Amino acid sequence: MTSAPVPRPPDGPGGPARPTDARAAVEAELGRVKEPARLLRVSTMARSLLDEARGLSLDEHARDQLRHIHARVVEEIGGAVAPELRDELERLLPPPSEVLSQAEIRIAQSQLVGWLEGVFQGIKIGMSFQQLAGPPPTGPQDRPPAGPGTGPYL
C-alpha cells in the first residue's frame, strides 16, 4: 500500500513562512481591536435592538429614534477599534437618510451585526493561532544549557 504525498503549503516570496512572521501577523490583527469588552457590549446591544425591531411595526418617530441609536452605536464601535476598522465600517454602511423605512433600518442593523460578527471571528481565529503557536520565545535563558547530562532521556 502506497501513501499519497502530503501537500505542502507554498512558500512565500521570501522562502518558507516563519513562526515569528505568523505570530506578528496574528498580534497585529488582534491589536486592531483596542477595547474588546466595549465592542462586545455594543455588539450585544445592537443584536438585541435588531431582534426587537424585527418584531415591531415602527412609526416614523421610532424609526428616527433607531436611526440615532444606530449612528451612536457606529460611533461607539469606532472608539473601540483601530482606525482602519473604523474606516472599513464607515465605507460599508450606507449613509443615513432623514427618515429610514422599516426595511432600511433592518438592513442597516443586519449589516452592522454581520460586520461585528466578522470582527469577532477574526479575534477568535487570531487567538486560536496564538494558542497553537505556544508562548513566544523570550530569549536564550529559556533554553536548557547544552552539555552532557542535559538530554531528554536523563
Side-chain angles (χ1 to χ4, degrees):
M1 183 166 137
T2 61
S3 62
V6 176
R8 193 174 141 231
D11 294 337
R18 297 186 320 251
T20 56
D21 293 341
R23 180 177 298 282
V26 167
E27 288 174 1
E29 185 64 27
L30 291 175
R32 294 172 74 184
V33 177
K34 298 183 288 187
E35 297 181 55
R38 179 179 176 188
L39 191 62
L40 187 56
R41 286 190 306 271
V42 171
S43 173
T44 301
M45 192 229 21
R47 177 175 292 285
S48 295
L49 183 63
L50 176 61
D51 290 343
E52 286 296 321
R54 250 187 219 130
L56 299 174
S57 176
L58 305 170
D59 63 10
E60 186 175 338
H61 178 71
R63 292 192 310 262
D64 188 50
Q65 183 66 23
L66 283 174
R67 181 178 61 86
H68 288 295
I69 292 170
H70 187 269
R72 183 70 183 141
V73 165
V74 170
E75 187 178 314
E76 287 293 322
I77 290 168
V81 298
E84 62 269 11
L85 283 179
R86 182 176 41 246
D87 293 344
E88 178 184 275
L89 178 61
E90 289 173 1
R91 280 192 318 271
L92 294 175
L93 293 178
S97 62
E98 282 302 311
V99 178
L100 298 174
S101 70
Q102 287 187 34
E104 289 170 325
I105 288 171
R106 290 183 180 120
I107 289 170
Q109 284 297 109
S110 294
Q111 281 181 298
L112 180 61
V113 169
W115 183 87
L116 286 164
E117 287 177 2
V119 170
F120 290 128
Q121 287 298 320
I123 291 170
K124 286 179 187 177
I125 289 169
M127 291 174 69
S128 296
F129 283 146
Q130 271 187 337
Q131 289 173 349
L132 289 174
T138 57
Q141 69 273 14
D142 287 346
R143 293 187 203 121
T150 60
Y153 299 108
L154 296 179

